[in-house]
Amino acid sequence: MQPYERKQLLERVEREGATVGADIPETITVQGEAIDLQQFVFEIKRRETVPRGERDRVEQAKRNLRRERIERLERIEEGAISREEGEELAQSVIGIDRALNALESLGPTDLEREQQAQQAADTKRWMSFLKKALGQEDEGAARRGR
């Protein structure tokens, strides 16, 4: 592969909109293990949030995908590969990016923290309502010179 071809492939992979319209690969080999990536991503995305038992699995999958992405980019940059192999690697990196984007955009994973934040917001609204109903908020405003 010529240096200018490597540069073109790397630019295509790093382009901001590279994942638009890209498909998540059905299967991908990560560190010697074949993974049904498309099925995994769709299974996780189907849920509104990541269940507590699945969080570690999702985080490990993201770490492995990031590592595999780096390895494939390095092969494009420095490996003795043909143009066809470079094209396949570039396409697989874009597919990995698409999968990572899908996994990163999942809803909140900590339901307990979200519930506590919701309760705190409810309490704040309730206290504000009580202050208004008891006229305390107006007194504070009058004391500040409003």
Side-chain angles (χ1 to χ4, degrees), residues 36-79:
D36 293 328
L37 185 59
Q38 194 175 68
Q39 180 182 354
F40 173 74
V41 171
F42 287 136
E43 171 189 324
I44 297 298
K45 287 281 291 179
R46 186 172 33 129
R47 304 174 184 150
E48 289 183 22
T49 60
V50 179
R52 184 177 294 267
E54 293 287 315
R55 287 184 208 153
D56 291 337
R57 183 174 161 217
V58 170
E59 290 303 316
Q60 184 63 44
K62 290 192 298 190
R63 281 192 296 274
N64 289 341
L65 287 171
R66 285 187 199 103
R67 192 174 309 126
E68 187 65 28
R69 180 188 191 280
I70 290 169
E71 289 175 12
R72 290 178 186 217
L73 279 175
E74 287 174 354
R75 283 180 52 204
I76 293 172
E77 289 173 348
E78 303 162 3

Side-chain angles (χ1 to χ4, degrees), residues 4-30:
Y4 75 90
E5 292 173 317
R6 288 181 197 276
K7 185 178 178 182
Q8 286 176 338
L9 289 175
L10 292 169
E11 285 175 356
R12 183 173 62 176
V13 167
E14 296 298 332
R15 201 173 317 148
E16 193 167 320
T19 60
V20 174
D23 293 326
I24 296 172
E26 284 189 38
T27 59
I28 191 168
T29 303
V30 177

Side-chain angles (χ1 to χ4, degrees), residues 2 13 16 21 48 54 60 81 85 91 94 97 125:
Q2 298 295 320
V13 167
E16 193 167 320
E48 289 183 22
E54 293 287 315
Q60 184 63 44
I81 58 175
E85 289 173 303
Q91 204 54 40
I94 291 170
D97 287 345
R125 281 192 298 272

